Amino acid sequence: MSGAGISTASGIQDFRSPGSGVYDNLSKYNLPYPEAVFELEYFKKNPKPFNSWAKQFFPGVNYLPNTGHYFIKLLEEKGKLSKLFTQNIDGLERIAGIKEDKLVEAHGTFNSASCISCKEAYSIQTLKTQILEDITPTCHKCQGLIKPNIIFFGEPLPGRFFDEAEFDCMFADLLICIGTSLEVYPFAGIADVTRHTTPRILLNNDLVGSFGTRPNDSVLLGDINASIEKICDRLGWSQQILDMNNLNKPIKTCS
Ligand code: OAD
């Protein structure tokens, strides 16, 4: 399971890190409280703060996967990944090549968009163009507001999360939790669905959730990629991770 901390090495701010997190940097939008930027009821009244945040955030515009994402891809390639549950909406797991059947985007996706009123699908490419040009997209059918199909506070999580999380966690023989404060439910709860003696590993700056309270918990505090590099070194996977990182680097052209 993963959260925003896995993507900070790609240059994307997480939500709650003091000072650098998204919620500490929204003062220009005059929000009543930071989380309002991702609240459905607030978006209906004022879509501009979210659209303006989305402008710099749109997947594939500014960011690429990093070692953390490739580590999960490598687990998949080696037949070790039963499922990745991510809270992230940056799409970097897809760009890293993790297959859709192994990926549950529990807080939705920027891959598609729809009207918040009549639910009519809307072209994500059109939405992206409009957001990049500071135009507020509206529905061709009912004039309702359009947003990417990411989950806002006040919206239910995708059915696949509820269909698969409990089963996958119950029968997992190892749970790895990467880069999340485990503050947002129901997502955070899946860490505790594993059996009491199932080994769990936390890779994060801080100790979060119930990690450290079970007999087979391991906690690697500090920078995620530094920990992953150590794990890969022990597994003999370092060269493969390096190759994956290099493969997806933007090609520099000479002028
Ligand atoms: P948070 O910002 O709440 O937590 C990120 C965690 O990653 C924190 O514990 C950081 O200390 C840690 N972290 C960040 N960079 C790190 C690094 N390089 N190495 C080690 N640790 C690092 O993000 P999430 O838990 O993903 O929901 O937030 C959960 C949900 O809250 C999001 O999906 C979003 C947000 O509101 C919605 O928008 C619905």
Side-chain angles (χ1 to χ4, degrees), residues 1 10 29 33-34 97 100 108 120 123 191 195-196 218 221 234:
M1 57 193 292
S10 297
Y29 302 126
Y33 45 91
E100 219 157 301
E120 179 81 356
S123 154
R195 283 164 295 185
H196 190 70
S218 303
L221 295 184
R234 293 284 287 272

Side-chain angles (χ1 to χ4, degrees), residues 4 8 14-16 23 87 107 180-181 204-206 222-224:
T8 55
D14 66 11
F15 294 92
R16 296 181 180 79
Y23 292 142
Q87 294 165 101
H107 289 174
T180 170
S181 59
N204 207 44
N205 274 331
D206 339 285
D223 181 64
I224 291 163

Side-chain angles (χ1 to χ4, degrees), residues 2-6 8-9 14-17 23 35 38 87-89 107 151-153 178-184 203-206 208 222-225:
S2 65
I6 198 173
T8 55
D14 66 11
F15 294 92
R16 296 181 180 79
S17 281
Y23 292 142
E35 287 84 352
F38 302 116
Q87 294 165 101
N88 296 346
I89 49 173
H107 289 174
I151 309 298
F152 274 23
F153 292 115
I178 310 181
T180 170
S181 59
L182 288 181
E183 285 199 16
V184 175
L203 309 181
N204 207 44
N205 274 331
D206 339 285
V208 293
D223 181 64
I224 291 163
N225 284 352

Side-chain angles (χ1 to χ4, degrees), residues 15 33 67 92 102 116 192 201-202 220 234:
F15 294 92
Y33 45 91
T67 296
L92 294 185
K102 293 285 182 189
I116 64 164
D192 296 329
I201 307 178
L202 172 72
L220 295 172
R234 293 284 287 272

Side-chain angles (χ1 to χ4, degrees), residues 118-130:
C118 74
K119 310 293 176 209
E120 179 81 356
Y122 193 85
S123 154
I124 191 70
Q125 281 313 324
T126 309
L127 177 90
K128 183 170 173 176
T129 307
Q130 290 174 317

Side-chain angles (χ1 to χ4, degrees), residues 87-100:
Q87 294 165 101
N88 296 346
I89 49 173
D90 52 36
L92 294 185
E93 304 88 354
R94 287 173 187 250
I95 299 176
I98 295 165
K99 295 194 184 77
E100 219 157 301

